[in-house]
Amino acid sequence: MVASFLKVGGQLLMPGVASLCRHWPNGDDWQVLQIVIISPFVLMLPYVWIFPESLRWLLATQHYKRSKAMMLRIARKNQVDTTTEPSGVLTELEQELHKKPQRSCIVKMMSTRNLWKNIVVLCVNSLTGYGIHHCFARSMMDPEAQPTALCHTDYYTMAGIAVATCVALCPAVGLMGRRGGLLTFMIITALASLLQLGLLNLIGKYSLRHDTVLRDTLNRKFSVAFSIIGMFSSHAVSTLSIFFCAEITPTVIRGGGLGLVLASAGFGMLTAPIMELHNQKGYFLHHVIFACCTLLCIICLLLLPEPRGQPLPETLADGETFTRQTLLHPGEQHLLLVKYERDYSRVHDTPLHLTATGGATAAVATALAAVPASYTLATGGEVIGNCTIANGV
C-alpha cells in the first residue's frame, strides 16, 4: 500500500519533470524525458547487497544455514544475547541444518486444486481493472482536445482520483475485508461502466430529441460523473488485486504469483497505447468487452477466500487448504456432516420384523410367478419341474 502512494507521487511529479525537460538544449524532449525517467533505476543495482533475503522464504524453502546466519546477524545488530534466548528457535534450527533446500517453482501451482484458480481470478481482476481504467479516462477527456495528448487538467484529475483511491482503500479493506472490499469496488466499476454505456444512449435516443444542446450537455456531465466513479473503483480493484495475491499465495511461490498478477496488470495497461495506435477505432467494443469482464469477475470473486486475520500460507499445502469460508456456522456445518450410527441389532427379534419379512417374501414370489419362463432363462434363471427359479428364489 505504501508503494501505491509512492507511485501516485511519481505520477504527480511527472508534469514538472516533463516541463523541465522541454528546455533541455540540443536534444529531443521525449528522449531526454525517457533518460530522466530511467536513470533512477540505476539505484536498484546495489539492492541485492543492501536488502537481505526474506527470512520467511528461507525458512519455508529449508535454507536453514542461511536462515541461521541471518538470525545471528540480526541478533548481533540488535545486541541480543542468543545464549539466553528463551524460545529455543536457534537450538531447534541446529537440528535441521542437515536438510537440503527445497525450492518450488510457480509451475507447481498447476498441480493444485484451489490455488491456481485463486491466482487466475486475481489475474483477470487485475487485467480488467487496468484495462477499463483507460476507458473511463478516455471518456472523461474533452473530445475537442487533441486525441494523442492529455491536458493538464485531465492529468491532475486522474492523479487526484488515484490519491483519493489509495486513501479510501486502506480503511475500506480494514472494515469490509479483502474479498468484501474487492467485490464492492468491482460492483461499482461494473455499474459505472454499464450505466455509461447504456444510460447515455437512452438519453440521446428516447429523450431530448429536439433540444440537442441540452442533450449533449447532459451526456457530457453524466459521462464525466460515471468516468470519475469508474476510475476511482477500477484503480482500487487493480491495487487490491495485487495486495490480495500477496496474502493468499504461499511463501514458497509468492514472488511468482505476484509476477503473474503484475504481468496481467501490465497487459491491461497495454490496451491504452494499442487503442491510440488505432486512432480510437473500436473504442466502444473495447469498453463493452471490459464491461462484460467486470460481470464475470463479480461471479468469480465469490470463490476467493478471506485472508483477513489469517496467518500467511507457507507451503503449497497451506495454500491449498486456504479456501473460501462456508456460509453456515461451523457448528451447523458439523451437524450436517455427522453420520449418526443407530443400533438395529434387536430389530430382527421383533414380531413386526418377522411379519414384514414374510410379507416381502410372498410379494416377491407373486411377482416372479407372473414372469414368463423364457425371460427368466434369458436373465440367468432356470426351470425345475413347473417352477421357475430366478436369482435363487
Side-chain angles (χ1 to χ4, degrees):
M1 302 307 296
V2 173
S4 299
F5 281 103
L6 294 177
K7 183 182 71 173
V8 173
Q11 187 176 354
L12 291 173
L13 294 177
M14 189 60 64
V17 176
S19 179
L20 294 176
C21 294
R22 290 181 59 186
H23 305 288
W24 191 272
N26 300 326
D28 294 333
D29 297 342
W30 69 271
Q31 292 179 345
V32 175
L33 180 61
Q34 289 288 339
I35 295 174
V36 172
I37 293 174
I38 296 173
S39 58
F41 285 95
V42 179
L43 301 175
M44 296 180 63
L45 295 178
Y47 277 13
V48 67
W49 295 286
I50 297 177
F51 290 96
E53 185 58 83
S54 170
L55 183 58
R56 179 185 291 272
W57 180 82
L58 290 175
L59 290 172
T61 54
Q62 298 183 4
H63 288 76
Y64 293 130
K65 292 183 179 180
R66 296 174 60 185
S67 302
K68 180 184 176 182
M70 184 179 295
M71 288 181 179
L72 293 176
R73 184 168 63 253
I74 294 174
R76 184 171 60 254
K77 289 183 178 181
N78 292 335
Q79 298 180 358
V80 176
D81 188 6
T82 58
T83 58
T84 59
E85 196 262 330
S87 62
V89 175
L90 293 176
T91 305
E92 184 179 354
L93 196 60
E94 285 284 350
Q95 303 174 0
E96 306 292 338
L97 294 178
H98 64 279
K99 293 185 178 180
K100 295 182 179 180
Q102 295 181 356
R103 294 191 178 185
S104 298
C105 181
I106 188 63
V107 181
K108 292 184 178 181
M109 174 192 69
M110 301 304 298
S111 62
T112 61
R113 182 180 179 182
N114 299 314
L115 183 59
W116 72 272
K117 298 178 185 178
N118 297 337
I119 296 180
V120 168
V121 169
L122 292 176
C123 287
V124 176
N125 275 271
S126 179
L127 186 149
T128 304
Y130 277 104
I132 203 170
H133 188 272
H134 171 69
C135 300
F136 289 123
R138 192 67 195 174
S139 300
M140 190 189 67
M141 292 173 56
D142 188 2
E144 298 179 357
Q146 295 296 327
T148 57
L150 284 173
C151 63
H152 295 289
T153 304
D154 293 334
Y155 186 88
Y156 280 113
T157 301
M158 290 189 293
I161 292 173
V163 173
T165 303
C166 294
V167 173
L169 191 60
C170 296
V173 172
L175 181 63
M176 295 183 292
R178 279 70 163 143
R179 184 178 61 176
L182 187 58
L183 183 61
T184 301
F185 287 118
M186 183 59 76
I187 291 175
I188 295 175
T189 303
L191 289 176
S193 179
L194 295 176
L195 290 175
Q196 189 178 42
L197 291 173
L199 182 62
L200 299 184
N201 292 330
L202 292 176
I203 292 176
K205 186 176 181 180
Y206 296 104
S207 62
L208 304 175
R209 297 181 179 179
H210 305 290
D211 195 348
T212 57
V213 177
L214 181 59
R215 182 189 62 190
D216 294 340
T217 303
L218 285 178
N219 279 342
R220 179 61 186 164
K221 290 183 178 180
F222 276 116
S223 178
V224 171
F226 289 140
S227 297
I228 292 175
I229 296 173
M231 291 175 63
F232 175 86
S233 57
S234 61
H235 191 276
V237 166
S238 307
T239 305
L240 190 54
S241 297
I242 301 172
F243 181 72
F244 206 142
C245 180
E247 288 194 336
I248 68 173
T249 308
T251 301
V252 292
I253 58 170
R254 183 166 293 129
L258 280 173
L260 290 177
V261 176
L262 289 173
S264 301
F267 186 76
M269 289 186 287
L270 189 62
T271 57
I274 290 177
M275 293 300 298
E276 296 290 344
L277 290 175
H278 289 80
N279 296 323
Q280 302 301 318
K281 292 181 180 179
Y283 165 74
F284 182 79
L285 180 61
H286 178 256
H287 197 169
V288 169
I289 292 175
F290 277 110
C292 296
C293 290
T294 57
L295 300 178
L296 180 63
C297 290
I298 292 174
I299 300 174
C300 295
L301 282 175
L302 299 175
L303 303 175
L304 295 178
E306 176 54 60
R308 183 177 63 172
Q310 302 292 331
L312 292 177
E314 303 293 344
T315 61
L316 291 176
D318 296 338
E320 187 65 11
T321 57
F322 202 30
T323 56
R324 178 179 62 89
Q325 287 80 9
T326 59
L327 297 178
L328 292 176
H329 190 272
E332 299 174 354
Q333 185 185 10
H334 177 71
L335 292 177
L336 291 178
L337 297 178
V338 169
K339 295 182 179 180
Y340 292 98
E341 297 293 339
R342 298 184 179 180
D343 186 13
Y344 297 101
S345 60
R346 301 183 60 186
V347 176
H348 300 281
D349 303 333
T350 60
L352 180 61
H353 177 264
L354 296 175
T355 305
T357 306
T361 306
V364 172
T366 305
L368 288 175
V371 179
S374 59
Y375 179 78
T376 307
L377 292 173
T379 55
E382 53 182 328
V383 178
I384 302 178
N386 291 326
C387 299
T388 304
I389 306 237
N391 300 324
V393 179

PDB file of all heavy atoms in Angstrom, residues 158-175:
ATOM      1  N   MET A 158      -6.904  12.757 -12.915  1.00  0.00           N
ATOM      2  CA  MET A 158      -6.661  11.322 -12.772  1.00  0.00           C
ATOM      3  C   MET A 158      -5.704  11.029 -11.624  1.00  0.00           C
ATOM      4  O   MET A 158      -5.893  10.052 -10.880  1.00  0.00           O
ATOM      5  CB  MET A 158      -6.106  10.764 -14.082  1.00  0.00           C
ATOM      6  CG  MET A 158      -7.117  10.730 -15.210  1.00  0.00           C
ATOM      7  SD  MET A 158      -6.539   9.831 -16.666  1.00  0.00           S
ATOM      8  CE  MET A 158      -5.215  10.899 -17.199  1.00  0.00           C
ATOM      9  N   ALA A 159      -4.681  11.857 -11.455  1.00  0.00           N
ATOM     10  CA  ALA A 159      -3.758  11.665 -10.333  1.00  0.00           C
ATOM     11  C   ALA A 159      -4.452  11.899  -9.002  1.00  0.00           C
ATOM     12  O   ALA A 159      -4.219  11.175  -8.020  1.00  0.00           O
ATOM     13  CB  ALA A 159      -2.557  12.598 -10.478  1.00  0.00           C
ATOM     14  N   GLY A 160      -5.344  12.896  -8.947  1.00  0.00           N
ATOM     15  CA  GLY A 160      -6.095  13.146  -7.718  1.00  0.00           C
ATOM     16  C   GLY A 160      -7.033  12.005  -7.379  1.00  0.00           C
ATOM     17  O   GLY A 160      -7.202  11.646  -6.203  1.00  0.00           O
ATOM     18  N   ILE A 161      -7.653  11.414  -8.407  1.00  0.00           N
ATOM     19  CA  ILE A 161      -8.518  10.252  -8.172  1.00  0.00           C
ATOM     20  C   ILE A 161      -7.699   9.081  -7.638  1.00  0.00           C
ATOM     21  O   ILE A 161      -8.140   8.344  -6.745  1.00  0.00           O
ATOM     22  CB  ILE A 161      -9.235   9.871  -9.480  1.00  0.00           C
ATOM     23  CG1 ILE A 161     -10.235  10.961  -9.861  1.00  0.00           C
ATOM     24  CG2 ILE A 161      -9.941   8.539  -9.329  1.00  0.00           C
ATOM     25  CD1 ILE A 161     -10.873  10.744 -11.222  1.00  0.00           C
ATOM     26  N   ALA A 162      -6.483   8.900  -8.153  1.00  0.00           N
ATOM     27  CA  ALA A 162      -5.617   7.821  -7.662  1.00  0.00           C
ATOM     28  C   ALA A 162      -5.242   8.042  -6.198  1.00  0.00           C
ATOM     29  O   ALA A 162      -5.205   7.089  -5.404  1.00  0.00           O
ATOM     30  CB  ALA A 162      -4.365   7.726  -8.527  1.00  0.00           C
ATOM     31  N   VAL A 163      -4.968   9.295  -5.825  1.00  0.00           N
ATOM     32  CA  VAL A 163      -4.653   9.595  -4.424  1.00  0.00           C
ATOM     33  C   VAL A 163      -5.858   9.307  -3.540  1.00  0.00           C
ATOM     34  O   VAL A 163      -5.728   8.703  -2.464  1.00  0.00           O
ATOM     35  CB  VAL A 163      -4.201  11.061  -4.286  1.00  0.00           C
ATOM     36  CG1 VAL A 163      -4.041  11.434  -2.812  1.00  0.00           C
ATOM     37  CG2 VAL A 163      -2.891  11.301  -5.025  1.00  0.00           C
ATOM     38  N   ALA A 164      -7.038   9.752  -3.968  1.00  0.00           N
ATOM     39  CA  ALA A 164      -8.246   9.501  -3.181  1.00  0.00           C
ATOM     40  C   ALA A 164      -8.521   8.007  -3.043  1.00  0.00           C
ATOM     41  O   ALA A 164      -8.979   7.536  -1.991  1.00  0.00           O
ATOM     42  CB  ALA A 164      -9.439  10.199  -3.836  1.00  0.00           C
ATOM     43  N   THR A 165      -8.220   7.246  -4.088  1.00  0.00           N
ATOM     44  CA  THR A 165      -8.423   5.794  -4.012  1.00  0.00           C
ATOM     45  C   THR A 165      -7.513   5.161  -2.978  1.00  0.00           C
ATOM     46  O   THR A 165      -7.945   4.318  -2.176  1.00  0.00           O
ATOM     47  CB  THR A 165      -8.161   5.175  -5.393  1.00  0.00           C
ATOM     48  OG1 THR A 165      -9.022   5.780  -6.356  1.00  0.00           O
ATOM     49  CG2 THR A 165      -8.419   3.681  -5.362  1.00  0.00           C
ATOM     50  N   CYS A 166      -6.242   5.553  -2.982  1.00  0.00           N
ATOM     51  CA  CYS A 166      -5.303   4.986  -2.007  1.00  0.00           C
ATOM     52  C   CYS A 166      -5.685   5.340  -0.582  1.00  0.00           C
ATOM     53  O   CYS A 166      -5.548   4.522   0.336  1.00  0.00           O
ATOM     54  CB  CYS A 166      -3.881   5.483  -2.314  1.00  0.00           C
ATOM     55  SG  CYS A 166      -3.205   4.886  -3.877  1.00  0.00           S
ATOM     56  N   VAL A 167      -6.192   6.558  -0.394  1.00  0.00           N
ATOM     57  CA  VAL A 167      -6.594   6.982   0.948  1.00  0.00           C
ATOM     58  C   VAL A 167      -7.832   6.220   1.415  1.00  0.00           C
ATOM     59  O   VAL A 167      -7.928   5.807   2.574  1.00  0.00           O
ATOM     60  CB  VAL A 167      -6.839   8.504   0.972  1.00  0.00           C
ATOM     61  CG1 VAL A 167      -7.423   8.933   2.318  1.00  0.00           C
ATOM     62  CG2 VAL A 167      -5.548   9.253   0.704  1.00  0.00           C
ATOM     63  N   ALA A 168      -8.786   6.011   0.515  1.00  0.00           N
ATOM     64  CA  ALA A 168     -10.037   5.340   0.894  1.00  0.00           C
ATOM     65  C   ALA A 168      -9.892   3.836   0.951  1.00  0.00           C
ATOM     66  O   ALA A 168     -10.695   3.163   1.612  1.00  0.00           O
ATOM     67  CB  ALA A 168     -11.141   5.721  -0.095  1.00  0.00           C
ATOM     68  N   LEU A 169      -8.896   3.285   0.258  1.00  0.00           N
ATOM     69  CA  LEU A 169      -8.789   1.835   0.169  1.00  0.00           C
ATOM     70  C   LEU A 169      -8.397   1.202   1.499  1.00  0.00           C
ATOM     71  O   LEU A 169      -8.918   0.140   1.866  1.00  0.00           O
ATOM     72  CB  LEU A 169      -7.764   1.464  -0.913  1.00  0.00           C
ATOM     73  CG  LEU A 169      -7.703   0.008  -1.333  1.00  0.00           C
ATOM     74  CD1 LEU A 169      -9.043  -0.436  -1.888  1.00  0.00           C
ATOM     75  CD2 LEU A 169      -6.613  -0.203  -2.376  1.00  0.00           C
ATOM     76  N   CYS A 170      -7.497   1.839   2.221  1.00  0.00           N
ATOM     77  CA  CYS A 170      -6.998   1.250   3.478  1.00  0.00           C
ATOM     78  C   CYS A 170      -8.109   1.055   4.513  1.00  0.00           C
ATOM     79  O   CYS A 170      -8.295  -0.062   5.014  1.00  0.00           O
ATOM     80  CB  CYS A 170      -5.866   2.103   4.029  1.00  0.00           C
ATOM     81  SG  CYS A 170      -4.409   2.174   2.959  1.00  0.00           S
ATOM     82  N   PRO A 171      -8.888   2.096   4.865  1.00  0.00           N
ATOM     83  CA  PRO A 171      -9.973   1.844   5.844  1.00  0.00           C
ATOM     84  C   PRO A 171     -11.079   0.962   5.293  1.00  0.00           C
ATOM     85  O   PRO A 171     -11.700   0.212   6.051  1.00  0.00           O
ATOM     86  CB  PRO A 171     -10.490   3.258   6.171  1.00  0.00           C
ATOM     87  CG  PRO A 171     -10.089   4.093   5.002  1.00  0.00           C
ATOM     88  CD  PRO A 171      -8.800   3.516   4.503  1.00  0.00           C
ATOM     89  N   ALA A 172     -11.345   1.037   3.981  1.00  0.00           N
ATOM     90  CA  ALA A 172     -12.416   0.211   3.414  1.00  0.00           C
ATOM     91  C   ALA A 172     -12.069  -1.268   3.500  1.00  0.00           C
ATOM     92  O   ALA A 172     -12.917  -2.095   3.859  1.00  0.00           O
ATOM     93  CB  ALA A 172     -12.668   0.610   1.956  1.00  0.00           C
ATOM     94  N   VAL A 173     -10.825  -1.614   3.196  1.00  0.00           N
ATOM     95  CA  VAL A 173     -10.409  -3.016   3.267  1.00  0.00           C
ATOM     96  C   VAL A 173     -10.353  -3.486   4.715  1.00  0.00           C
ATOM     97  O   VAL A 173     -10.680  -4.634   5.029  1.00  0.00           O
ATOM     98  CB  VAL A 173      -9.050  -3.198   2.566  1.00  0.00           C
ATOM     99  CG1 VAL A 173      -8.502  -4.587   2.784  1.00  0.00           C
ATOM    100  CG2 VAL A 173      -9.200  -2.934   1.077  1.00  0.00           C
ATOM    101  N   GLY A 174      -9.918  -2.611   5.612  1.00  0.00           N
ATOM    102  CA  GLY A 174      -9.899  -2.984   7.023  1.00  0.00           C
ATOM    103  C   GLY A 174     -11.290  -3.201   7.588  1.00  0.00           C
ATOM    104  O   GLY A 174     -11.473  -4.008   8.496  1.00  0.00           O
ATOM    105  N   LEU A 175     -12.288  -2.512   7.032  1.00  0.00           N
ATOM    106  CA  LEU A 175     -13.660  -2.632   7.535  1.00  0.00           C
ATOM    107  C   LEU A 175     -14.405  -3.796   6.890  1.00  0.00           C
ATOM    108  O   LEU A 175     -15.059  -4.589   7.584  1.00  0.00           O
ATOM    109  CB  LEU A 175     -14.413  -1.324   7.287  1.00  0.00           C
ATOM    110  CG  LEU A 175     -15.872  -1.263   7.763  1.00  0.00           C
ATOM    111  CD1 LEU A 175     -15.945  -1.411   9.283  1.00  0.00           C
ATOM    112  CD2 LEU A 175     -16.525   0.035   7.310  1.00  0.00           C
TER     113      LEU A 175
END
